[in-house]
Amino acid sequence: MTNGKKCLNMLNSKTDMEWIDGFLRQELSESEVATFQERLAKEPAFAALFEEQELILNGIRLHQLSDKVRHFQQMGQEMDGNLLDDGTIGEAVRYDRSSAVLERFREKGKEMDEKEELQQATKRGLISYIFSRYAAAAAVLLFLVSFWWANEYYSSQAIAKNSIEFPLSNESMKNPSKGNFNLGKKAFFNKDYEKALKILEEVPLENNDYFEAQVLLAYNLFEMKKYDESINQFNQLIDKDFESLPNIYKNENKLRWNRLVAYVGKNNLLSPIFQQELEFFLNSKSDFYRNKAIKLNKELNSTWRLIVIN
């Protein structure tokens, strides 16, 4: 399979990736593990994806291990050099825990042979094994693929974009509006956010469409990654304008959820407001938002985020 096809499989397997991530982190229940293993046996595509991801993580570990081996080698060389420079095997006994090895030094006086033996054992045991299979190059390639995947789906902005609850265009467009605001609304739902921003910001308070414009403005700012301004806009909608909002937008849970997601986009996960709101939704009576909060919390704590640049 080519690298391009692998990336395409990754893009189309988000749900499968959550299963695989949970399995590798040992977070699945016994019944889920049984289901996972059954899928591996019955679904070749799923099994292939699991092997790819397991290979990616093993490749990263091998790459890290090779660095440790080189460091160990260097330490071994320095240690042997110190022993040779000292010139007194009896003095070295104080620093070596293996009396058997030191006895061998004492009997044969072959420090250089021992050094060569250590180097050869290391090469045979680890370095030769790794590099004979081009694992170093493969680890770099796999790390780059993993890095792309993690930032594509597990960066704070990616998680936020996939978690936002947008107003439905078909419902919003049913709400009658006129003049420039109507052009701004169309620009927003056509994803022309720069044009929409200019129009929505100019809707005056006395205009009948003012409060709807404020709702769309909060989402528009979010899409433009102006998260601070989006948070402020959601705060205004929740704390000041809520009773004046059109009925199709008068959903406090939805507004609070989207404010929470804006904090994720900003990567301000230590904010007391974020922590309080996340806890609120994790304990929500609404199955819809409770499940969304559980999913969000799991994504924010995924091992993939260890290599994410937020």
Side-chain angles (χ1 to χ4, degrees):
M1 180 182 291
T2 65
N3 288 340
K5 290 183 178 178
K6 286 182 180 178
C7 291
L8 182 59
N9 284 343
M10 291 180 181
L11 285 169
N12 293 332
S13 304
K14 182 73 187 293
T15 302
D16 289 347
M17 284 303 306
E18 292 176 353
W19 273 89
I20 292 172
D21 186 47
F23 180 81
L24 293 176
R25 294 178 64 190
Q26 299 181 345
E27 293 181 347
L28 301 183
S29 64
E30 292 184 5
S31 62
E32 288 175 327
V33 169
T35 301
F36 184 89
Q37 292 174 338
E38 184 178 351
R39 288 192 64 191
L40 287 177
K42 294 183 178 180
E43 301 179 26
F46 180 71
L49 181 60
F50 171 72
E51 290 178 2
E52 289 176 8
Q53 298 312 308
E54 189 176 37
L55 180 60
I56 287 173
L57 295 179
N58 287 339
I60 293 172
R61 293 191 185 106
L62 286 175
H63 184 65
Q64 294 172 340
L65 182 58
S66 68
D67 288 339
K68 292 181 180 178
V69 169
R70 284 194 294 271
H71 179 64
F72 173 71
Q73 235 186 329
Q74 184 179 357
M75 290 178 62
Q77 291 171 351
E78 292 176 357
M79 179 188 73
D80 289 339
N82 291 336
L83 285 173
L84 292 174
D85 292 342
D86 185 89
T88 305
I89 294 177
E91 185 69 13
V93 173
R94 301 178 189 176
Y95 304 96
D96 199 303
R97 298 178 183 177
S98 175
S99 60
V101 173
L102 289 171
E103 183 64 22
R104 184 177 179 183
F105 283 163
R106 191 175 293 111
E107 291 175 355
K108 297 183 179 181
K110 295 182 178 180
E111 293 88 345
M112 293 301 296
D113 289 343
E114 184 63 24
K115 175 182 177 180
E116 182 65 23
E117 182 179 341
L118 175 61
Q119 292 175 333
Q120 292 301 322
T122 302
K123 291 179 181 178
R124 287 194 300 271
L126 291 171
I127 296 179
S128 293
Y129 176 83
I130 294 171
F131 287 99
S132 66
R133 290 163 174 76
Y134 302 100
V140 171
L141 177 61
L142 292 171
F143 177 80
L144 291 175
V145 173
S146 301
F147 182 80
W148 169 85
W149 169 262
N151 283 275
E152 184 73 13
Y153 288 105
Y154 288 93
S155 69
S156 292
Q157 290 187 2
I159 292 174
K161 187 172 180 63
N162 291 329
S163 302
I164 191 75
E165 284 291 311
F166 270 105
L168 299 176
S169 60
N170 59 340
E171 292 183 4
S172 180
M173 294 307 290
K174 289 179 182 179
N175 201 42
S177 54
K178 299 178 181 179
N180 285 341
F181 170 69
N182 193 47
L183 296 177
K185 181 191 288 189
K186 288 182 178 179
F188 171 77
F189 285 111
N190 288 330
K191 299 183 179 182
D192 187 351
Y193 299 118
E194 290 288 349
K195 179 179 178 180
L197 179 65
K198 293 178 181 179
I199 297 174
L200 295 173
E201 286 184 327
E202 294 178 357
V203 176
L205 178 60
E206 62 271 13
N207 192 302
N208 292 335
D209 299 314
Y210 172 79
F211 291 106
E212 183 176 6
Q214 299 311 299
V215 174
L216 297 184
L217 185 58
Y219 291 103
N220 199 86
L221 291 166
F222 177 91
E223 280 298 291
M224 297 178 73
K225 299 180 181 179
K226 297 184 177 184
Y227 299 114
D228 280 324
E229 295 177 53
S230 180
I231 290 170
N232 291 336
Q233 194 69 17
F234 278 117
N235 284 338
Q236 178 178 314
L237 295 173
I238 296 167
D239 300 332
K240 297 180 180 180
D241 298 340
F242 186 77
E243 294 303 324
S244 301
L245 298 180
N247 289 332
I248 61 173
Y249 301 116
K250 195 175 289 186
N251 184 329
E252 185 176 356
N253 276 345
K254 187 171 186 178
L255 294 173
R256 288 179 66 176
W257 172 260
N258 289 322
R259 178 177 62 182
L260 171 73
V261 171
Y263 273 99
V264 174
K266 185 184 175 184
N267 197 35
N268 192 1
L269 307 182
L270 299 180
S271 164
I273 295 179
F274 171 80
Q275 296 290 338
Q276 291 170 10
E277 290 295 87
L278 179 60
E279 187 68 21
F280 169 80
F281 283 109
L282 286 172
N283 295 286
S284 174
K285 295 180 180 180
S286 166
D287 290 340
F288 177 76
Y289 283 107
R290 185 173 62 254
N291 290 334
K292 287 183 71 68
I294 292 172
K295 181 175 181 291
L296 174 64
N297 195 43
K298 183 177 180 180
E299 289 175 343
L300 291 175
N301 289 284
S302 170
T303 53
W304 287 105
R305 286 179 58 81
L306 296 175
I307 54 173
V308 162
I309 298 178
N310 287 303

